[in-house]
């Protein structure tokens, strides 16, 4: 299998947690340093491997949150009863070590250039690889018209809230809070639907490129809605974090 062969060429690197930032009550960003890390592109991910004292190993994928050229960072949401995410969010400390492999992925990647508008759609922690794109766009001074439609459960669950409140370089941010909204909330207050997509997305005739990331169900809903608006399926790139992501 081509994918397996590609991964086989990537070596597991020992890394160290050099910083940790609590983003929301359930989400933390870890900044990692790994000897031999060669840099990444916006949208790629790493595999993380944890090894217990008895030798038991667990591997999971995490999108890279930082822009190319910035220190490597992952942002992890803690899933109740999860195996790996509770360690990364609640236990890992500066100076801790585990292993990473990457960068992985060449399809869900945006280098920040191009004249066609770019539509980014995120559900929950699906905002992570899109944030790498947004940060890369800001760092490179890209003028590509870009919109982010970001769905979170509540205001407290909005990852990168401060950064998204001050969007750089004409980035347009649209947010929806699906379960609860603070007083005076001016954004959307429901799950993403056809009407919302119609209001936020450019008409298909403008040939936007689209990146959608989140749980499988979220990604399918958003992609189906855009296809119904006339977006060609090949203009839509998707990354699925799994059923609960
Ligand atoms: C390309 C890619 C990029 C990703 N990027 C990110 C990212 O940037 N940030 C992020 O937070 N996540 C990301 N993910 C998701 C991540 O890889 C993990 O799936 C996630 O962190 C959960 O792992 P876990 O070990 O904590 O949970 P797991 O142990 O895998 O469990 C997942 C869920 O299933 C439930 N579960 C487990 N076992 C059972 C069972 N036997 N019966 C019923 N339910 C069960 C758990 O309660 C939990 O809610 C990404 C995934 C992919 C594929």
């Amino acid at each position: 299998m081509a994918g397996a062969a590609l991964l086989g060429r990537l070596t597991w690197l020992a890394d160290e947690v050099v910083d940790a930032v609590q983003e929301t009550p359930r989400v933390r960003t870890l900044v990692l340093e790994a000897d031999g890390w060669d840099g990444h592109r916006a949208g790629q991910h790493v595999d993380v491997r944890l090894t217990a004292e008895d030798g038991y190993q667990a591997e999971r994928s995490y999108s890279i949150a930082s822009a190319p050229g910035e220190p490597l960072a992952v942002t992890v949401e803690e899933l109740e009863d999860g195996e790996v995410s509770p360690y990364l969010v609640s236990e890992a400390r500066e100076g801790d070590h585990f292993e990473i492999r990457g960068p992985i992925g060449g399809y869900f990647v945006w280098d920040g250039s191009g004249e066609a508008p770019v539509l980014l759609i995120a559900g929950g922690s699906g905002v992570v690889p899109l944030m790498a794109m947004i940060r890369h766009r800001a760092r490179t001074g890209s003028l590509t018209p870009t919109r982010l439609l970001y769905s979170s459960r509540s205001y407290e669950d909005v990852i990168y809230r401060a950064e998204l409140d001050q969007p750089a370089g004409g980035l347009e941010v649209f947010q929806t809070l699906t379960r609860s909204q603070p007083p005076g909330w001016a954004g959307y207050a429901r799950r993403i639907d056809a009407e919302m997509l119609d209001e936020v997305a450019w008409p298909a005739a403008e040939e936007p490129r689209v990146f959608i990331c989140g749980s499988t169900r979220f990604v399918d809903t958003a992609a189906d809605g855009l296809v119904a608006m006339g977006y060609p399926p090949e203009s839509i790139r998707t990354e699925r974090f799994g059923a609960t992501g």
Side-chain angles (χ1 to χ4, degrees), residues 60-63 75-77 79-85 241:
R60 297 290 185 276
S61 300
Y62 292 99
S63 298
T75 301
V76 181
E77 176 182 13
L79 296 188
E80 222 175 298
D81 304 329
E83 199 171 46
V84 171
S85 61
F241 279 3

Side-chain angles (χ1 to χ4, degrees), residues 41-60:
R41 299 168 68 198
Q44 289 186 304
H45 66 273
V46 289
D47 285 343
V48 166
R49 181 163 75 179
L50 305 184
T51 305
E53 275 172 22
D54 65 1
Y56 173 77
Q57 293 188 316
E59 278 176 44
R60 297 290 185 276

